[in-house]
Amino acid sequence: MKRVRLSARLQALADLIEDGASVIDVGSDHGLLPVHLAQKGIAKKIIASDISAASLSAARRSGTTYGVTDDISFFVTPGLDGIKPTDVDTIVIAGMGGETIVSILQDALWVNRLSMNLILQPQSKRNILFRYLYNNEYDILKIIPVTDNKKQYIVIQVRGKEAI
C-alpha cells in the first residue's frame, strides 16, 4: 500500500492524537491527516469533514489513493454541525483563521463542557483565538512552534473544562 507522507505541520497535529482516539478533522481539505491516522491505525474512529462536497472530494480522493476510504467517514458539514458529543473525543481544527476556529467552537459549546482534546492550528488572527480560549476557561496544554516549507506555524493543544 502506498504510504502518505505528512508535512511537518500535519505531523505536529498527528503527534498530539492519542492511540485509540475518535477523531474529527474539521475542514479536512486534502484529507492527508485522516489518511495517516488510518494507515497507522492510530484512531479507532476517523471523521473527515468539510463545508462543501467539492471541498470534501479532495479528502475522499486521498482516501482512495491511499486505500483507506473504508476507514474514514466523510461528512459535508460546517464546523461541528451534526456531530454529537459521543461521536468524538479529539477535534482537529487546522489551516484556517483564528476567528473561524472561534466561530466553530462557539457553535459547539459542548466541546468545552466535555473536556474534549482539541488540536488547533490557526493560520492567522491567533490573538482572537487565544483571547477566546482564555475567556472561556480552556486549558492550554501545549503550544508547539512548527516550521514547514519555510513558514512558521503554531499548533495548540487545549482541553475544555470538565463537566461538573
Side-chain angles (χ1 to χ4, degrees):
M1 175 188 341
K2 184 177 176 183
R3 302 301 280 183
V4 69
R5 283 194 45 154
L6 295 183
S7 65
R9 179 179 71 88
L10 292 178
Q11 187 62 58
L13 300 170
D15 290 345
L16 295 173
I17 297 171
E18 297 173 10
D19 284 343
S22 295
V23 180
I24 183 168
D25 182 20
V26 177
S28 194
D29 192 28
H30 42 64
L32 296 181
L33 179 62
V35 166
H36 171 79
L37 297 174
Q39 285 187 332
K40 296 283 187 174
I42 294 169
K44 68 179 177 188
K45 181 177 185 179
I46 306 164
I47 301 171
S49 74
D50 219 307
I51 198 163
S52 72
S55 298
L56 196 59
S57 67
R60 199 179 299 276
R61 278 193 307 276
S62 292
T64 300
T65 298
Y66 292 100
V68 294
T69 303
D70 292 342
D71 299 321
I72 302 169
S73 298
F74 298 90
F75 286 106
V76 175
T77 187
L80 292 163
D81 286 1
I83 303 300
K84 296 186 286 297
T86 54
D87 289 339
V88 296
D89 54 37
T90 301
I91 299 169
V92 178
I93 310 174
M96 54 191 83
E99 76 284 6
T100 303
I101 295 172
V102 166
S103 177
I104 291 167
L105 295 176
Q106 286 175 327
D107 289 343
L109 295 176
W110 54 267
V111 169
N112 192 2
R113 291 192 308 267
L114 296 176
S115 187
M116 293 281 165
N117 180 28
L118 284 109
I119 303 165
L120 312 173
Q121 191 276 299
Q123 296 286 70
S124 62
K125 300 186 180 175
R126 297 172 184 171
N127 60 325
I128 292 171
L129 177 57
F130 277 113
R131 188 175 312 116
Y132 176 81
L133 295 172
Y134 174 79
N135 288 339
N136 289 278
E137 300 177 8
Y138 282 89
D139 290 328
I140 296 174
L141 305 177
K142 294 180 184 176
I143 300 173
I144 302 167
V146 179
T147 302
D148 189 345
N149 202 20
K150 299 182 182 179
K151 292 183 182 176
Q152 297 292 316
Y153 301 93
I154 61 167
V155 174
I156 310 160
Q157 182 180 30
V158 303
R159 263 200 211 283
K161 57 189 169 196
E162 292 284 344
I164 299 174

